Amino acid sequence: MWPGSIPPQDLQASRFGRWLDRRIPPSRQITLSQRNIFIFPNLTGFVFGGLLLLLILGAVNYQSSLVYGVAFLLGSMFLLTILYTFRNLSGLALELVGTRPGFVGEDIEFNVRVVRPQGKGREGIQLGWPEGIKQWAELNEQEAAGVRLFVKAERRGRLDPGRLLVETYYPLGLLRAWTWVDLGVQSLVYPKPIFQDFPQSTPGRRDDGQLIDPLGSDDFSDIKSYLPGDPVKHIIWRSYARSGELVVKRYASFVEPRLWLDLEEVSGPLEERLSRLTGLALRATRLEREFGLRLGATEITPAIGEAHLEPLLRELALYGLAES
Amino acid sequence: MDSPKVNEALGVAYQIPRNSLALLMIAQIVVVLPYFMQLSPWIIAVGLFCGYWRMGVYQGRWDHPRRWIKALLVIASFAGVAVSGVSAYSLEAAASVLILAFALKLIEMKGRRDAYLVIFLGYFIIATQFLFDQSILVAIYELIATIMVTAAMVGMNQLHTRVRPLASLRLAGSLVVQALPFAIVLFLFFPRIAPLWTVPLPMGATTGISDHMTPGDIARLAQSDELAFRVVFRDPVPANKDLYWRGLVYSDFKSGTWSLGPQFKPSHPRLDENYSGEEIRYEVLLEPTMSNWLFALDTATAEASNVARTLDYRLVADDPVMSVFRYEVVSRPGELMDDRLIPVIRVREKKLPEGDNPRIRAFAQALYIDSGKDVATFIDAVLRHIRQELFSYTLQPPTLQREHSIDEFWFDTRAGFCTHYAGAFVFMLRSVGIPTRMVGGYQGGEINPIGNHLVVRQYDAHAWAEVWMAGRGWTRVDPTAAVAPERIELGLNAALSLTDRAALSLFTSVRMGDWGFLGRFLDWTDSLEHRWNLWVIGYDTRFQAGFLENLLGELTPTRIGLAILLGGSTSVGLVAIALFWRRRPVHRHPVERLIRRFGDRLAGFGYPRVASEPPGAFIRRVAEEAGLEATQVDNVVAELNTLLYNPSGTRSGTEIRQLRGQLRRLQFRLAFSLSH
């Protein structure tokens, strides 16, 4: 049993995972060296070893010096490949450049930057999360490469893709050099949005409502001097009688203009409710409406725009989850 | 079979990169080609056909063959091997199957696993070629083939999007070359062990002298300059006329053909310790003959356990000689062969068929009676007859009838080669009842002036006679010496007529004659080949033991293990240094060079330059830390920036010299203020 044979899912939990945590502690930037690179023949390598044994057997039975020669040459090459394969990873610096949060069901993108030390000849390097498609890092010509890795988001909250596998079979494919690095990567996963209509807006009170129509008819607002065109029925005739000046009463309409997204006001199980709120938040932002969020004890005062959306989605993503 | 998806999840791309595929197809051709020599052409044709088809697939013109076509090809191919007449357990059959599998797999191959199978088969086929031929040229060729196959394997692990066969080839080349030193260490030190079981050997036709001899055989061999064997003498080389390399004894005569006659179990005689005469020690490196007879001078004893001696004093190897075979021989010219004749041999060496060649029988009878029935006198009389009558020595004798061929030669044509003379001689002696036999082998040889070894070629093939005489045992008599003494004294070339010589191939005549530069070149290649035989092909258990004892003293597993370890770590270590050594970046720009040197010196004072720091900022920082006024360095920094960054700047030599002076003064100033 060697490290690579452990199924990635169990990686973190297994004893090997704990050992790995001590051996290659999490860090945002890691340089690969003999401390953290493992190397072992893969199946092809073992078959190749079998081929060498067959050749030596043939050389013994046929007493053929040159068949010995072929076997020794290939064996020696196999040995050198250890150096080549190891060198292919050695000195590589891996760094998490950033991640972009996403919604449940999406592929979450992680940007990893790989920088090779001087000297060409680093090829066939693959990076990948335990669950996810591997990507090639093109490092032969250029010194650094950005690799975009994706992980499918299954649940909202913090997504920890686990340790990043860096592996290579280069140059002959007989040996596998690999390492599991923990770049301390976490990304936020927002609830999967469910889109629906905005809830009915509630009539506002004067103190927190917003004036939506200064010439409305709901509430008395103030008095001003009459200008032609003002409604005649608003003229305060009593005042005219007293002072001879025409004044009018003004009324204004107030509405609760700010959208409040409240967990209590959407229906369904918790996850669905969070999803609905997410959908509303996205919609409101697209329509450039001001809105706030009430999630139990948490309240985010209403505002507008992308910058406002992000902390809001974050709350939705993490609601009810233990802070890790 | 894994689905592509599973493979992908495992991080192994399923498809074979095109780069690798192209290399693999070329490698296939390179690997299969040398088998033209050993295998029937149709197998090579199947190989090339499959390669052609695969090329079509590669270029997108054709599809992979359908399943039934593949099945048909496989069945047809293996049926072809079965009916082609090679034995099922022969090496040829194995090689044919191997190559067919290799070729057929190529058209079938789709995934990585298939490609690796083809690659590994390729290595195997390369090694198998050495069972047929181990010459230097083949070795060089197969080294290149190894690089090709390795390049295909490298291509398998390079990025798919790139098609760079040359890069793969270059890497494969350096891998193979870097692997050579340790391979040589292993070759020298890895213990060679005896075969574990017997294996089928290649079945080539016998080359050189065969176990049948018709008069034309040796004349045919005389046309060939192919190597028979090389000899390294431990003692001074005997004169050419004494170099009779005895290999075969022909006792049966029937319809003009001599053959070996009844054989008896060979033995392993010990050297007689009471012998006090002349002794010649030498080692023979025999080229493959596909037979087990060996060649040696009289009277030969070999000490190797795999070489035995027959009742008629021939040396034979236990197994047919399939690759260069080395054996040490002690020859004692003074030792009698058969001082007493045992009956089976006496019967064997006197037998003649009834009734043929009546004229020469009568002639011999008369001459024998004239000689007073004395064997020695009779021999002299026969040889005198050859000398005095108009017998001639030629490589192109007239064709003889099968019946009464000796009569025809002796009385009518009177022109022949060594076989004719020896044959007639033996026939005459046997017809009067004297035990006589025909001996085949080689006579003479040339010394290679570079390697100081003796080279015996096919054109040195020769036949002579042995007569048993009481008190002298088997005694060599060479009737050819009577008709062409220069053949024995000087070699074949001296004995050849102009017409004979014109019939020889160019190389043969160059080898025989004095052709100056070309001759020396051939000497050189011969000597190279000899060393190859000594050190590579002939590096067997016995030679290894001798070599390693010289090198390491007493041979213990520990010592051998240590030697392999030491050699291995040295050769692998050198490669590691080459791989991991990081050279300093080379600064092409002269100003950059100046700055780097300046930085290095200041680092010596404890003010290293930070990697990302621009040179100007660095100078200002250090100046500030050293307590210098900013104005004091303004000049230098300005000058430096102009030279570095101004694209239209001239950067003439004087400017750079100026800057160097400024930097040096600044350095002194800094050093001064830093020390206070």
Side-chain angles (χ1 to χ4, degrees):
Chain A
M1 182 88 101
W2 62 94
S5 72
I6 293 180
Q9 290 92 328
D10 307 340
L11 198 64
Q12 310 302 95
S14 67
R15 191 170 353 152
F16 169 68
R18 289 197 299 280
W19 174 80
L20 206 57
D21 278 341
R22 282 198 307 277
R23 176 120 191 140
I24 315 174
S27 157
R28 280 186 80 83
Q29 211 236 341
I30 285 178
T31 303
L32 303 185
S33 67
Q34 64 273 20
R35 253 194 78 78
N36 43 30
I37 297 175
F38 308 103
I39 189 160
F40 205 76
N42 58 357
L43 182 66
T44 322
F46 280 105
V47 175
F48 187 77
L51 170 87
L52 294 188
L53 282 182
L54 262 175
L55 284 178
I56 289 192
L57 203 64
V60 167
N61 278 344
Y62 281 97
Q63 294 286 294
S64 167
S65 280
L66 288 183
V67 177
Y68 272 116
V70 174
F72 294 152
L73 185 66
L74 295 183
S76 170
M77 204 166 76
F78 189 56
L79 202 69
L80 284 188
T81 317
I82 301 176
L83 292 178
Y84 273 84
T85 310
F86 171 75
R87 184 191 105 110
N88 207 26
L89 290 191
S90 162
L92 288 189
L94 292 145
E95 189 185 1
L96 179 74
V97 178
T99 88
R100 191 176 299 160
F103 298 91
V104 168
E106 282 186 346
D107 286 324
I108 307 296
E109 177 181 329
F110 295 87
N111 277 307
V112 175
R113 190 175 142 84
V114 191
V115 184
R116 70 156 160 77
Q118 263 179 11
K120 286 189 182 177
R122 281 154 204 271
E123 292 192 67
I125 298 165
Q126 287 190 305
L127 278 75
W129 306 112
E131 293 139 36
I133 293 171
K134 296 204 177 84
Q135 302 286 336
W136 297 93
E138 167 73 80
L139 279 172
N140 193 43
E141 300 296 331
Q142 68 236 39
E143 238 171 82
V147 180
R148 303 191 325 167
L149 296 160
F150 296 91
V151 182
K152 189 152 177 86
E154 308 281 0
R155 268 169 292 123
R156 71 181 173 88
R158 288 187 198 281
L159 173 67
D160 183 349
R163 283 180 175 263
L164 175 67
L165 172 69
V166 184
E167 71 171 353
T168 185
Y169 294 84
Y170 183 80
L172 295 187
L174 305 178
L175 288 163
R176 173 179 184 244
W178 76 101
T179 184
W180 294 99
V181 294
D182 190 344
L183 294 174
V185 179
Q186 274 189 346
S187 183
L188 268 183
V189 179
Y190 306 140
K192 188 187 178 75
I194 296 175
F195 292 100
Q196 63 170 53
D197 285 338
F198 292 119
Q200 284 288 308
S201 59
T202 45
R205 285 158 291 143
R206 209 185 154 146
D207 49 331
D208 61 352
Q210 189 180 347
L211 179 74
I212 49 167
D213 181 5
L215 302 178
S217 54
D218 297 345
D219 267 350
F220 171 72
S221 164
D222 57 356
I223 299 169
K224 68 169 193 109
S225 38
Y226 174 79
L227 285 176
D230 282 339
V232 177
K233 68 172 181 175
H234 287 176
I235 296 173
I236 310 171
W237 298 109
R238 235 180 316 162
S239 176
Y240 176 69
R242 224 180 0 240
S243 63
E245 235 180 302
L246 274 177
V247 286
V248 286
K249 270 202 269 188
R250 282 208 308 189
Y251 294 84
S253 285
F254 287 91
V255 74
E256 169 59 66
R258 300 176 302 179
L259 185 61
W260 278 99
L261 306 181
D262 195 332
L263 191 64
E264 304 303 324
E265 286 180 21
V266 280
S267 56
L270 176 65
E271 291 303 318
E272 193 189 316
R273 281 191 283 165
L274 288 170
S275 287
R276 288 184 192 285
L277 291 183
T278 308
L280 286 172
L282 289 176
R283 199 153 163 204
T285 305
R286 196 166 60 238
L287 298 175
E288 297 186 350
R289 279 191 65 174
E290 192 178 5
F291 67 101
L293 176 73
R294 288 203 192 94
L295 272 180
T298 326
E299 188 174 302
I300 294 180
T301 48
I304 272 185
E306 298 273 347
H308 169 62
L309 181 65
E310 207 184 291
L312 200 139
L313 288 176
R314 181 188 178 86
E315 290 300 330
L316 285 170
L318 298 178
Y319 177 73
L321 299 177
E323 206 45 55
S324 59
Chain B
M1 195 73 194
D2 286 349
S3 72
K5 206 173 166 191
V6 171
N7 270 319
E8 204 164 61
L10 289 171
V12 182
Y14 177 68
Q15 288 236 321
I16 308 165
R18 282 178 74 75
N19 172 21
S20 174
L21 197 57
L23 285 166
L24 202 51
M25 286 187 288
I26 300 169
Q28 189 226 15
I29 295 169
V30 172
V31 162
V32 170
L33 270 184
Y35 283 88
F36 266 123
M37 303 292 284
Q38 283 89 24
L39 302 182
S40 33
W42 71 267
I43 290 171
I44 313 289
V46 169
L48 294 182
F49 169 74
C50 292
Y52 186 64
W53 192 319
R54 195 66 177 85
M55 192 68 84
V57 176
Y58 178 76
Q59 292 172 343
R61 285 186 284 124
W62 297 335
D63 199 0
H64 283 275
R66 282 161 200 282
R67 188 165 289 183
W68 66 267
I69 298 184
K70 286 190 284 192
L72 204 70
L73 266 172
V74 170
I75 294 168
S77 302
F78 291 101
V81 175
V83 299
S84 66
V86 292
S87 143
Y89 295 104
S90 69
L91 192 62
E92 281 77 7
S96 306
V97 169
L98 208 58
I99 285 183
L100 286 172
F102 184 62
L104 294 172
K105 190 72 200 165
L106 191 75
I107 47 168
E108 198 249 6
M109 150 177 95
K110 280 180 188 148
R112 285 180 71 91
R113 191 176 292 183
D114 299 330
Y116 268 99
L117 189 68
V118 171
I119 287 168
F120 290 173
L121 269 175
Y123 283 133
F124 214 80
I125 289 173
I126 287 174
T128 310
Q129 176 62 30
F130 288 132
L131 301 182
F132 296 101
D133 192 345
Q134 299 201 77
S135 67
I136 299 187
L137 284 179
V138 169
I140 292 172
Y141 181 91
E142 296 297 354
L143 192 68
I144 293 168
T146 308
I147 292 176
M148 296 290 313
V149 176
T150 309
M153 192 149 63
V154 170
M156 295 287 296
N157 298 285
Q158 281 174 321
L159 212 57
H160 288 211
T161 47
R162 300 261 203 87
V163 181
R164 298 175 309 155
L166 266 184
S168 317
L169 259 179
R170 204 174 310 129
L171 178 66
S174 53
L175 256 177
V176 168
V177 169
Q178 287 170 348
L180 274 173
F182 186 48
I184 291 170
V185 170
L186 283 173
F187 186 87
L188 290 177
F189 293 101
F190 189 88
R192 302 294 172 90
I193 47 177
L196 303 175
W197 61 83
T198 51
V199 283
L201 294 165
M203 301 182 295
T206 306
T207 57
I209 290 182
S210 80
D211 53 358
H212 303 279
M213 192 184 279
T214 49
D217 283 352
I218 289 204
R220 192 171 35 73
L221 281 179
Q223 310 282 340
S224 160
D225 68 332
E226 212 179 300
L227 186 74
F229 52 89
R230 295 190 179 88
V231 188
V232 182
F233 280 96
R234 313 268 182 256
D235 295 307
V237 186
N240 200 70
K241 66 175 172 57
D242 294 326
L243 292 175
Y244 277 88
W245 302 100
R246 206 166 168 275
L248 288 153
V249 171
Y250 304 95
S251 309
D252 252 16
F253 180 72
K254 200 180 286 169
S255 332
T257 302
W258 292 90
S259 55
L260 293 189
Q263 294 297 303
F264 309 99
K265 196 177 164 5
S267 62
H268 291 270
R270 288 281 185 83
L271 281 171
D272 178 10
E273 295 192 354
N274 299 322
Y275 178 82
S276 57
E278 191 197 352
E279 195 172 77
I280 311 159
R281 284 173 181 272
Y282 50 92
E283 186 183 21
V284 181
L285 287 93
L286 181 65
E287 291 292 303
T289 59
M290 314 293 160
S291 333
N292 58 355
W293 50 80
L294 308 176
F295 300 90
L297 302 172
D298 295 339
T299 301
T301 312
E303 282 165 318
S305 60
N306 55 348
V307 175
R309 195 166 81 182
T310 59
L311 267 185
D312 45 22
Y313 294 87
R314 296 184 295 125
L315 296 185
V316 286
D318 286 353
D319 299 307
V321 176
M322 295 301 170
S323 61
V324 172
F325 184 75
R326 359 184 6 173
Y327 51 100
E328 292 267 358
V329 187
V330 182
S331 282
R332 292 173 164 179
E335 197 175 286
L336 289 193
M337 291 193 272
D338 287 345
D339 51 349
R340 280 175 45 243
L341 208 52
I342 57 170
V344 279
I345 293 289
R346 181 183 293 274
V347 169
R348 199 181 80 170
E349 313 299 21
K350 282 171 77 171
K351 215 172 79 186
L352 271 190
E354 293 297 316
D356 62 341
N357 298 298
R359 286 198 280 167
I360 198 164
R361 282 174 199 258
F363 174 80
Q365 210 69 47
L367 202 62
Y368 188 48
I369 291 164
D370 277 359
S371 313
K373 297 202 173 184
D374 176 60
V375 176
T377 322
F378 177 55
I379 292 171
D380 279 346
V382 173
L383 295 181
R384 202 179 320 117
H385 179 80
I386 295 174
R387 261 196 298 273
Q388 286 168 356
E389 297 297 317
L390 271 173
F391 281 95
S392 69
Y393 181 78
T394 172
L395 279 182
Q396 296 150 300
T399 325
L400 302 174
Q401 303 295 320
R402 281 182 62 179
E403 289 296 303
H404 312 307
S405 57
I406 295 180
D407 272 359
E408 194 184 353
F409 159 69
W410 192 254
F411 296 103
D412 307 334
T413 63
R414 292 197 165 186
F417 202 56
C418 56
T419 339
H420 297 86
Y421 291 95
F425 181 83
V426 174
F427 194 93
M428 278 191 272
L429 266 73
R430 281 195 181 184
S431 69
V432 298
I434 304 167
T436 314
R437 59 197 181 190
M438 168 107 118
V439 180
Y442 297 87
Q443 203 282 319
E446 303 125 76
I447 296 285
N448 181 313
I450 298 165
N452 276 324
H453 53 271
L454 187 85
V455 182
V456 178
R457 298 187 179 276
Q458 294 303 347
Y459 58 62
D460 293 315
H462 193 54
W464 61 93
E466 274 177 2
V467 186
W468 190 83
M469 288 186 264
R472 293 169 65 184
W474 289 101
T475 308
R476 184 173 63 229
V477 179
D478 189 352
T480 309
V483 61
E486 57 282 7
R487 163 72 184 87
I488 310 305
E489 305 284 339
L490 302 169
L492 181 65
N493 186 41
L496 287 184
S497 65
L498 279 176
T499 43
D500 277 347
R501 215 165 292 166
L504 296 178
S505 75
L506 176 70
F507 269 140
T508 312
S509 28
V510 168
R511 286 235 156 82
M512 286 181 181
D514 180 16
W515 276 55
F517 172 74
L518 191 52
R520 274 201 300 283
F521 174 72
L522 290 179
D523 278 344
W524 180 78
T525 53
D526 171 75
S527 147
L528 190 71
E529 221 171 76
H530 176 54
R531 258 162 229 170
W532 177 255
N533 287 348
L534 268 181
W535 281 98
V536 180
I537 303 176
Y539 192 80
D540 54 10
T541 319
R542 201 171 47 81
F543 192 79
Q544 185 186 39
F547 172 71
L548 292 189
E549 260 165 31
N550 266 342
L551 201 71
L552 306 174
E554 193 202 346
L555 287 185
T556 60
T558 330
R559 281 189 187 183
I560 292 177
L562 277 178
I564 291 180
L565 207 67
L566 191 72
S569 49
T570 312
S571 42
V572 174
L574 284 175
V575 176
I577 289 172
L579 270 182
F580 288 95
W581 186 265
R582 278 190 203 119
R583 253 174 266 150
R584 264 186 160 166
V586 181
H587 292 285
R588 293 242 170 75
H589 198 299
V591 180
E592 281 176 20
R593 245 195 326 264
L594 280 180
I595 293 162
R596 203 198 61 204
R597 216 175 303 150
F598 181 73
D600 285 351
R601 292 206 194 98
L602 284 190
F605 300 135
Y607 287 88
R609 182 176 156 200
V610 182
S612 58
E613 204 171 20
F618 170 57
I619 291 175
R620 286 186 191 285
R621 179 174 63 86
V622 178
E624 195 184 337
E625 283 178 46
L628 293 182
E629 293 288 320
T631 46
Q632 284 181 286
V633 293
D634 277 351
N635 238 339
V636 187
V637 171
E639 180 80 6
L640 189 101
N641 286 343
T642 318
L643 281 175
L644 259 184
Y645 302 122
N646 184 4
S648 56
T650 47
R651 290 173 202 145
S652 69
T654 36
E655 279 173 306
I656 289 174
R657 265 196 299 281
Q658 261 171 9
L659 179 66
R660 186 190 299 146
Q662 281 175 320
L663 282 175
R664 195 170 297 154
R665 278 193 293 281
L666 179 63
Q667 182 196 325
F668 281 133
R669 223 175 305 151
L670 287 170
F672 180 77
S673 41
L674 287 171
S675 58
H676 284 80

